[in-house]
Amino acid sequence: MPSFDIVSEVNPMEIENAVNQAKKELANRFDFKGSNAEIVLEKNEIKLSATDQFKITALHEMVVTKLAKRQISMKSVESMPPDVSPLGHARQVVKIKQGIEQAAAKQVTGFIRDTKLKVTTQIQGEAIRVTGKNRDDLQAVIAAVRGHEFPVALSFQNFRD
């Protein structure tokens, strides 16, 4: 029986490349010379720290721009509000979301059910498995899901006949 998986994953190498590009830009920018601003990548979190609110905003903009240039969907990027200490030092965390949350998965499966195509959907952890009797129905589901706007960035994997 043909099937495929709907997932929401971000390539970790693309995240690492975007952070490395942002670090290079940070080293070359005149407004950051002599300041102890830094960008640190830890698994699915990018931690920014700078000496004041203005610099943390510039760092955040720099990192988000580099992520966007690497074709990482902004739906997968969640920016926490910056923490500014009374002494002026600022920190901010940018989280990269991996996987489809339960509420979003239910929304996607409900949309697929509403298309009235002869397919079945199963939520399997952080992925959705779609199975059907013929591959044309599955390709119609892929086209319908691509054409609809969801709160998460979706991709398709493991298309099997």
Side-chain angles (χ1 to χ4, degrees):
M1 205 131 137
S3 68
F4 69 91
D5 294 335
I6 300 174
V7 295
S8 177
E9 293 179 351
V10 178
N11 187 350
M13 287 307 299
E14 291 297 330
I15 297 169
E16 190 174 327
N17 289 340
V19 169
N20 288 339
Q21 287 176 347
K23 284 181 181 179
K24 283 182 185 176
E25 185 177 332
L26 173 66
N28 293 332
R29 283 203 22 185
F30 179 76
D31 55 342
F32 285 101
K33 292 278 188 221
S35 70
N36 57 349
E38 66 177 350
I39 302 169
V40 179
L41 174 65
E42 293 179 1
K43 220 165 188 181
N44 288 329
E45 286 186 346
I46 303 168
K47 296 186 177 181
L48 312 173
S49 66
T51 53
D52 58 38
Q53 176 72 39
F54 171 75
K55 287 186 178 168
I56 203 76
T57 305
L59 269 180
H60 179 264
E61 188 176 307
M62 192 186 317
V63 169
V64 169
T65 303
K66 298 299 180 193
L67 288 171
K69 283 184 180 176
R70 304 292 305 181
Q71 270 76 46
I72 295 173
S73 174
M74 289 298 110
K75 294 178 181 177
S76 299
V77 177
E78 182 181 0
S79 299
M80 299 295 157
D83 297 329
V84 181
S85 72
L87 299 175
H89 192 75
R91 275 182 253 127
Q92 187 171 11
V93 176
V94 177
K95 291 185 179 180
I96 308 296
K97 297 184 216 169
Q98 300 277 21
I100 303 173
E101 295 172 358
Q102 200 70 21
K106 286 181 181 178
Q107 184 179 356
V108 172
T109 56
F111 173 75
I112 293 171
R113 217 173 293 117
D114 291 343
T115 61
K116 304 288 190 223
L117 292 167
K118 293 184 178 180
V119 295
T120 58
T121 58
Q122 292 176 314
I123 299 174
Q124 298 180 334
E126 295 185 337
I128 300 169
R129 169 78 40 96
V130 181
T131 56
K133 289 195 175 172
N134 63 10
R135 112 189 285 188
D136 292 338
D137 287 342
L138 296 180
Q139 289 174 339
V141 167
I142 290 174
V145 169
R146 278 200 176 123
H148 193 268
E149 193 68 29
F150 291 105
V152 291
L154 300 175
S155 58
F156 308 96
Q157 293 181 340
N158 302 331
F159 194 97
R160 298 180 186 177
D161 271 332

